[in-house]
Amino acid sequence: MKKTYLKIAFFALMTQFANAQFSLDGEFRPRTEFRHGFGNLIPDDTDAGFGTSTRVRLNAGYKADEYQFYLSIQDVYTWGENRQLLPQDVNNSFGVFEAWVDYKISNNWSTKLGRQTIDYDDERILGSVGWVQQARNHDAALIKYRKDKFMLDLAFAFNQDKADISGFSSVGTDFNTAGFFTYKAMQYAYLKKEWTTFSASFLALNTTFQDLVGGVSAGTTSSLVTTGTHLAYKKDKFGLESNIFYQTGERQNEIKANAYLASLDLSYKATAKVVLGLGAEIISGQKDDTAAFFPLYGTNHKFNGLMDYFYVGNHANSIGLVDLHANAKFIFSEKSNLSVSFLNFSGAEALPSGEKSLGNEIDLVFATKLKGAGLAIGYSQLFANDGMYELKGTTKEASSNLQNWAWVMLTIKPKFLN
């Protein structure tokens, strides 16, 4: 009888796996960086930063007819951050990066619930920031519609401090977590339609912030509304992409917004081995009575130079930015390529001195595929103008003559079960 039960359980298990798909994969991504002016001007006679960080992930997926489940466990650490024999991780970075269920309602409708990454278009406003080792996620509920080449996403999120729900006497819904535009609530509608050579999307995003005074809730909230479109055209050797976005409403501390972002990028495949690009972006800055535009939850490292001088934890309510750039990609083989970018920066508004010119940047990235791995090597250098020194609150004399950044990154993504 016992053997019979075991056989029944075994066949039931096999039947379950026959009607579902289980996957298990991982990621190991160490990156070593030499920072001598990354993100900010380094003072003269100051030692450069140097170190290695690593992202480790274990991802499990389960797909049945009615739903899809996904779980991603992540840890991010710097080599040497823990002393020998330390019984715990000093930065407490180990945890759940993603945990969601995508439930099929009908042939066209589904809902995705839980902790997830959100990426749209070129990730200018909403992106997972994969370059950053910890990356970005959202605790949200999505309602999704897909038919032919049209898609609609409706998203809802409401964030709460853990302390407010861990006890029996918790009251209210104040959200005291601040920084990096962390929101109390979020709602958005995203629509996209694709044709043969053209695609267009529209985003209407509302983010609500808890007003804080001295790090404590003021009992009020403010809402910032971001609306806009992403347009893309590609035919034969030519490509074109454009972003047009507008922000209104209020940011935290009752700063009223009346701001915009506009960009245009063109690409041309000159040969089978060379792709050329040319583009411009303008982001409005702070005026006497209104706040500057901020691209919120996008993958901002992709834009305005890889050295992250703008909109990456900085430049949040400043003089805006005019970014003129040219780039080229040289494809050596199916496995390796070199990207070269030149960028010119100036303020959308003038600094107090009347200066607008901020400087130039050169970015070089070589990428190649190895056996079972990917390797990327980068070098960037900033050539600051007078406006950059004023913007960063320093002088040319106090800053190093060489502002540069170099890095090397290895990525291995093993598939344990697929």
Side-chain angles (χ1 to χ4, degrees):
M1 184 64 71
K2 185 176 181 181
K3 290 183 179 181
T4 302
Y5 288 146
L6 288 175
K7 289 180 180 179
I8 293 173
F10 175 78
F11 283 116
L13 183 62
M14 291 301 99
T15 302
Q16 179 69 12
F17 273 95
N19 293 318
Q21 295 179 352
F22 180 75
S23 64
L24 185 67
D25 60 74
E27 182 184 52
F28 176 72
R29 195 179 81 169
R31 182 168 69 226
T32 299
E33 298 183 52
F34 171 86
R35 295 188 173 192
H36 191 265
F38 177 85
N40 204 351
L41 298 169
I42 191 169
D44 195 20
D45 298 326
T46 300
D47 291 338
F50 182 82
T52 299
S53 63
T54 298
R55 179 169 79 193
V56 180
R57 285 180 180 169
L58 182 63
N59 310 311
Y62 181 83
K63 188 175 183 180
D65 292 337
E66 302 83 7
Y67 66 90
Q68 182 178 353
F69 170 78
Y70 186 78
L71 174 66
S72 178
I73 306 297
Q74 172 179 282
D75 192 22
V76 176
Y77 59 92
T78 299
W79 288 16
E81 68 180 18
N82 292 331
R83 68 163 174 81
Q84 297 294 308
L85 301 179
L86 189 69
Q88 72 277 346
D89 190 355
V90 296
N91 67 7
N92 195 30
S93 63
F94 181 81
V96 175
F97 178 64
E98 289 189 77
W100 51 261
V101 168
D102 195 329
Y103 188 82
K104 184 179 179 181
I105 300 173
S106 67
N107 290 335
N108 302 119
W109 290 92
S110 66
T111 180
K112 188 176 181 180
L113 309 172
R115 181 165 298 175
Q116 56 193 281
T117 59
I118 297 177
D119 303 273
Y120 292 118
D121 303 318
D122 61 353
E123 303 181 28
R124 195 62 183 108
I125 304 299
L126 287 166
S128 55
V129 202
W131 164 262
V132 179
Q133 297 285 46
Q134 67 272 20
R136 173 185 284 122
N137 55 28
H138 300 262
D139 294 323
L142 271 65
I143 299 174
K144 306 190 300 178
Y145 176 81
R146 305 286 188 272
K147 186 175 183 180
D148 300 327
K149 293 186 177 181
F150 174 79
M151 63 177 289
L152 165 66
D153 283 358
L154 302 174
F156 307 90
F158 186 86
N159 292 332
Q160 194 54 269
D161 294 329
K162 180 180 179 181
D164 288 341
I165 59 172
S166 61
F168 295 102
S169 60
S170 59
V171 294
T173 61
D174 286 344
F175 184 64
N176 295 310
T177 301
F180 295 90
F181 290 91
T182 300
Y183 54 82
K184 177 184 177 69
M186 176 184 72
Q187 311 87 35
Y188 71 76
Y190 174 84
L191 304 87
K192 183 177 181 179
K193 174 67 176 177
E194 295 182 21
W195 293 270
T196 304
T197 59
F198 179 71
S199 67
S201 66
F202 174 77
L203 173 69
L205 167 68
N206 178 68
T207 43
T208 299
F209 306 97
Q210 186 80 57
D211 295 328
L212 303 175
V213 177
V216 179
S217 171
T220 58
T221 60
S222 55
S223 292
L224 182 67
V225 178
T226 304
T227 57
T229 184
H230 176 84
L231 307 173
Y233 171 83
K234 188 173 183 180
K235 185 176 182 180
D236 300 328
K237 297 181 178 181
F238 293 93
L240 182 150
E241 288 192 60
S242 177
N243 286 311
I244 304 172
F245 285 94
Y246 174 73
Q247 280 181 345
T248 187
E250 293 183 348
R251 291 191 351 191
Q252 288 167 299
N253 300 321
E254 298 182 354
I255 304 175
K256 296 185 181 298
N258 181 22
Y260 64 89
L261 177 152
S263 68
L264 181 65
D265 283 277
L266 299 97
S267 63
Y268 174 69
K269 191 173 183 179
T271 70
K273 300 290 185 178
V274 179
V275 180
L276 304 175
L278 190 66
E281 183 174 60
I282 180 169
I283 304 174
S284 68
Q286 183 182 19
K287 301 176 179 63
D288 291 338
D289 56 350
T290 59
F293 186 96
F294 196 87
L296 292 175
Y297 313 110
T299 301
N300 296 334
H301 176 76
K302 289 179 57 178
F303 305 90
N304 313 132
L306 296 181
M307 290 183 73
D308 289 353
Y309 270 64
F310 308 99
Y311 306 105
V312 183
N314 53 26
H315 210 69
N317 201 32
S318 191
I319 60 170
L321 185 69
V322 177
D323 174 354
L324 306 176
H325 48 269
N327 53 74
K329 185 175 183 178
F330 303 96
I331 303 170
F332 303 128
S333 68
E334 292 182 357
K335 295 183 177 181
S336 61
N337 62 78
L338 174 68
S339 297
V340 181
S341 299
F342 174 81
L343 304 99
N344 173 264
F345 304 124
S346 57
E349 288 78 28
L351 289 156
S353 66
E355 183 66 61
K356 281 191 173 183
S357 179
L358 301 177
N360 304 294
E361 181 177 325
I362 293 178
D363 296 324
L364 307 174
V365 178
F366 172 77
T368 186
K369 294 180 181 179
L370 308 174
K371 289 185 177 180
L375 178 68
I377 303 171
Y379 178 82
S380 298
Q381 185 164 331
L382 180 79
F383 302 90
N385 288 345
D386 290 344
M388 185 68 80
Y389 297 110
E390 182 179 355
L391 177 66
K392 298 299 182 179
T394 186
T395 63
K396 184 177 181 179
E397 293 73 23
S399 303
S400 173
N401 292 327
L402 182 63
Q403 305 286 336
N404 62 348
W405 171 55
W407 55 273
V408 57
M409 183 170 70
L410 179 71
T411 303
I412 300 176
K413 295 184 176 182
K415 292 188 179 297
F416 307 114
L417 184 63
N418 191 6

